[in-house]
């Protein structure tokens, strides 16, 4: 019993959500801090999640014509400085390399915080004509930002992500790509991660450094806070001009080029934990779970139990299901608890009585439902159960989001609601950055998450200053 | 015709092998140099090769129980210094980070040249008992080594690779893993890349910094030079002791732990180019080729040609073949030349006459053989042709290696042979590092490639000093 207690050493969400998060990350062995302050070790259980995210998302990218590349980890200071807004945004948080081997470098290099400048530099040298366009490139890599405070997956100095960069002949085509990639993120996160989203545009103050427009998908954690889950930026020709990227059209006329970039990072694993997890640990959607089913033999010392478990394992594996058997010498109760901490979508219980009855007991991780299934129906029924879990998880999260998305038309109403309830609040805004800042201050930190594509006209006036409203904004505290 | 000439702007191998290599890398658009001196941009055609290498090799790793992780890009100087041989080997070629944002760091970090120290540091903190062993981990990442001279894929400051690191309870188990991973490399490179190899052990002077034993797979380029294609290291308990990694056995007794590491990098793309390439460009083995077949319509303006090309494209794609159609407005001749430069294993020619005859013409890249195939037989015959190409390419490379692997029993014979022939020479050696160095000097740079597992007793004496021979060594110039 001591062992069983140990794996259940997870603080309750209601007692302390932040501690619950830290406990889950630790107990599920997803990652830990390395000896490099603020940098993570992504351990097998955590990295396997990222590998599945990569696999699914990369396929979606390639279906839209994306090609993968890899550009250097270092950026010369002179390149980094070419676009003014960009360096201003990133300068305080980059790490600088000053020595190579024993020699001091003539020019400093920073470790990439993002790679717009390297892509621009390459395109400046290689793109000459309309025939060279478009470029629709992406890289899976890590970036480094010298953050002061860090939290596993949510904010660390080095993190894993993908950064897509594209170059186009026209503004129209670049805008189309910006929205296309936001849609790819939306479909991936809602379909594969079962996380409901709000799609929208960032306000001026929340834009990416150097972008003309930034679009975002925002998700809501179980504590009511927002997590920016992916962004897609339209640059216009700002970067291209700063780097002097020009192309000749069919009539030999010189034109400026248009760019986009878009990224999704290991932060999304934080969302996966905080949208679906419960007091027993992780709850993983079947489509992304590294292990979808754990077979747990009961009374495994008895004749035929392990043999049958192995037979079922082989049958399911052949059917393309990601399955494991826990035939270790731990007690079944301990194994159940462990499978729950890890968020494995179903466990398959199999004991002598079940074998006699020619069936197994499936226990769903998400709602603890028990389902008896005959051996011969397992390969047919299990995928159906996975799809049911996937759908139910999405629906529960969508219901949570809906019931924690309120609106307000006065500041009193808004501050009161933020004081008493978790979640987001919709309110009208004049477009002025001062009002945006004041709203955040008065609500104790609820910033503008986005101007959602699905907008309503709640009132004609800005909730703060009373001047004519320009946008409906989703306000919320965030990670 | 001018266009056709341009894509054929590749120096002949016999005229200048080094220039031929540079030309192929450039014309096939595999990579180019970035603005960061000595660092490459891996472009879509080059990175797609690496992606296929990753996919195939990663599956082989996982079949042996390897789990993937990701550890930081930075290593604190104090960690890097813990194992004496290791820091001595790497100190001259690491890049140092001294500033984070605007602040000067209290301790310098180097950008990882390899990650043994980080894995050891993590295991020192987390491995306590025999239950925590073995650890069989791997990461796909980039490393940085401040090289003076660089060449695309063969030697660059930053390169992509995988580094596997394992920790075991016994020396025996660690040794077994060292050899297992060398075998995984051997099988992958010979089967998927069609590159024949010599397997063996490195001499003391060629070992990895900190290893007790280093094993290698060596391949031979068409200029007769060797390329070290993958290495697997047995560390004994040297690293574990330096980092104080100990575990308790079942009887609560403390033991030291044993380690291995093993790596294969983007250098292997250099081997792929130089083992198979010819004067027209790349020649890719079908199993690793990003595009296996290029459909080239002839007289594509004529009724039904593009439609039929598209129909065949869809049929082949559904059958799991990596196929493309070149329906651009270039001439067929230009398209042929381009497909040859890129090394695409077969082109599929399809014109009005072929459509009438109900067939296509397949042209093999490797031997220019033309094969007529009926439409309805294409999905059956094409995979057979791929397998034939794969086998023929391997056999041709094996014949080349055999016919360029000679032996010698006197220094006169050896220096003469190295003067007049390309290739490797087998000769006996006493085991003394001085002799090893002198042999390299007198042969104008032929170092010891390895002590092959398949050894012969060519003579009882060291070819240099005449003292009793301990090993047969393969000698050769190398990349």
């Amino acid at each position: 019993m001591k062992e069983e207690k140990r794996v259940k050493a997870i603080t309750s969400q209601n007692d302390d959500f932040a501690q619950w998060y830290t406990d889950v990350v630790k107990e599920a062995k997803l990652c830990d801090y390395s000896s490099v302050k603020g940098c993570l070790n992504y351990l097998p259980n955590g990295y396997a999640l990222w590998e599945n995210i990569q696999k699914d998302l990369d396929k979606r990218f390639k279906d839209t014509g994306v090609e993968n590349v890899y550009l250097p980890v270092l950026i010369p200071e002179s390149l980094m400085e070419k676009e003014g807004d960009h360096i201003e945004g990133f300068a305080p948080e980059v790490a600088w390399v000053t020595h190579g081997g024993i020699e001091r470098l003539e020019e400093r290099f920073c470790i990439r915080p993002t790679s717009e400048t390297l892509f621009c530099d390459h395109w400046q040298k290689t793109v000459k004509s309309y025939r060279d366009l478009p470029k629709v490139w992406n890289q899976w890599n890590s970036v480094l930002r010298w953050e002061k405070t860090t939290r596993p997956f949510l904010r660390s100095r080095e993190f894993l992500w993908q950064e897509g960069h594209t170059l186009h002949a026209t503004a129209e085509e670049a805008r189309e790509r910006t929205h296309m990639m936001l849609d790819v993120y939306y479909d991936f996160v809602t379909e594969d991660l079962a996380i409901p989203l709000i799609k929208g545009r960032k306000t001026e103050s929340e834009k990416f450094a150097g972008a003309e427009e930034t679009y975002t998908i925002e998700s809501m954690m179980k504590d009511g806070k927002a997590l920016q889950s992916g962004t897609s930026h339209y640059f216009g020709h700002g970067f291209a001009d700063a780097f002097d990227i020009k192309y000749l059209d069919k009539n030999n006329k010189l034109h400026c080029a248009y760019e986009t970039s878009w990224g999704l990072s290991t932060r999304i694993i934080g969302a996966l934990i905080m949208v679906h997890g419960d007091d027993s640990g992780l709850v993983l959607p079947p489509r992304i779970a590294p292990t979808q089913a754990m077979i747990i033999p009961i009374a495994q010392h008895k004749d035929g139990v392990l043999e049958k478990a192995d037979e079922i394992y082989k049958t399911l594996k052949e059917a393309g299901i990601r399955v494991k058997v826990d035939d270790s010498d731990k007690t079944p109760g301990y194994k159940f608890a462990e499978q729950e901490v890890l968020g494995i979508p179903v466990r398959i219980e199999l004991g002598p009585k079940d074998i006699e009855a020619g069936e197994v007991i499936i226990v769903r991780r998400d709602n603890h439902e028990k389902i008896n299934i005959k051996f011969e129906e397992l390969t047919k029924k299990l995928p159906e159960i996975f799809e049911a879990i996937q759908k139910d998880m999405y629906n529960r999260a969508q219901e949570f989001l809906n019931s924690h998305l309120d609106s307000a038309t006065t500041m009193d109403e808004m501050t009161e609601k933020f004081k008493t309830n978790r979640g987001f609040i919709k309110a009208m805004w004049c477009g002025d950055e001062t009002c945006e800042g004041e709203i955040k201050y008065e609500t104790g930190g609820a910033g503008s998450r986005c101007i959602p594509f699905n907008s309503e006209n709640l009132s004609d006036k800005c909730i703060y200053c009373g001047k004519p409203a320009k946008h409906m904004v989703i306000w919320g505290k965030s990670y």
Side-chain angles (χ1 to χ4, degrees), chain A residues 406-408 412-421 425:
Chain A
D406 207 341
S407 64
D412 282 350
E413 188 189 356
M414 195 173 187
T415 48
E416 187 54 33
K417 280 184 171 170
F418 270 122
K419 242 180 243 162
T420 48
N421 306 325
I425 289 178

Side-chain angles (χ1 to χ4, degrees), chain A residues 98-306:
Chain A
T98 55
H99 290 74
I102 49 166
E103 69 184 286
R104 195 181 174 93
L105 302 176
E106 282 180 32
E107 179 182 13
R108 298 199 299 179
F109 296 110
C110 74
I111 298 181
R112 63 179 166 228
T114 180
S115 306
E116 277 75 10
T117 53
L118 289 175
F119 280 82
C120 284
D121 182 51
H122 174 73
W123 288 332
Q124 192 276 325
K125 292 174 188 160
T126 52
V127 170
K128 307 289 171 202
S129 118
Y130 71 97
R131 284 176 186 267
D132 301 322
L133 296 175
K135 296 288 185 200
V136 183
W137 289 2
N138 174 65
Q139 63 183 4
W140 292 94
N141 58 353
S142 80
V143 288
L144 199 90
R145 298 176 186 177
W146 216 253
E147 307 278 359
K148 297 278 180 214
T149 55
T150 58
R151 295 197 64 194
F153 297 120
L154 301 173
R155 195 169 295 277
S156 57
R157 286 188 170 170
E158 184 186 17
F159 58 89
L160 301 170
W161 78 345
Q162 58 66 220
E163 47 176 321
H165 298 269
T166 72
L167 186 73
H168 304 270
T170 66
E172 193 188 4
E173 198 185 292
R175 267 181 215 278
E176 196 187 315
R177 177 56 70 171
T178 312
H179 286 280
M180 186 195 299
M181 298 323 287
L182 191 75
D183 288 344
V184 167
Y185 289 150
Y186 183 89
D187 293 346
F188 166 72
V189 174
T190 55
E191 292 168 10
D192 290 353
L193 308 186
I195 296 176
L197 295 169
I198 294 171
K199 241 194 272 193
R201 187 156 64 83
K202 286 283 182 190
T203 61
E204 286 300 300
S205 65
E206 297 283 332
K207 272 184 349 186
F208 179 81
E212 268 194 24
E213 297 156 19
T214 288
Y215 298 91
T216 180
I217 46 171
E218 300 279 329
S219 55
M220 186 191 283
M221 309 300 101
K222 278 190 177 169
D223 62 353
K225 281 198 198 168
L227 193 137
Q228 178 180 302
S229 303
T231 47
S232 187
H233 316 292
Y234 170 70
F235 287 125
H237 51 83
F239 264 101
D241 286 353
F243 282 79
D244 196 27
I245 303 172
K246 295 209 165 10
Y247 72 94
L248 290 168
D249 71 8
K250 287 186 182 182
N251 307 315
N252 239 20
K253 235 186 92 182
L254 212 55
H255 290 273
C256 60
Y258 298 81
E259 274 176 76
T260 82
S261 80
W262 24 278
L264 180 144
S265 80
T266 35
R267 291 199 95 195
I268 201 74
I269 296 176
L272 207 48
I273 299 167
M274 290 192 286
V275 167
H276 299 304
D278 64 21
D279 285 352
S280 303
L282 280 179
V283 182
L284 293 176
R287 287 202 198 162
I288 212 72
T291 303
Q292 295 174 307
M294 179 67 84
I295 301 171
I296 301 181
I298 313 290
Q300 66 185 34
H301 59 281
K302 293 210 173 157
D303 262 5
V305 174
L306 282 180

Side-chain angles (χ1 to χ4, degrees), chain A residues 411-412 415 418-419 437-446 464:
Chain A
M411 278 310 291
D412 282 350
T415 48
F418 270 122
K419 242 180 243 162
E438 292 297 327
I439 292 167
K440 189 168 181 178
Y441 178 77
E442 293 213 0
T443 55
Y464 188 79

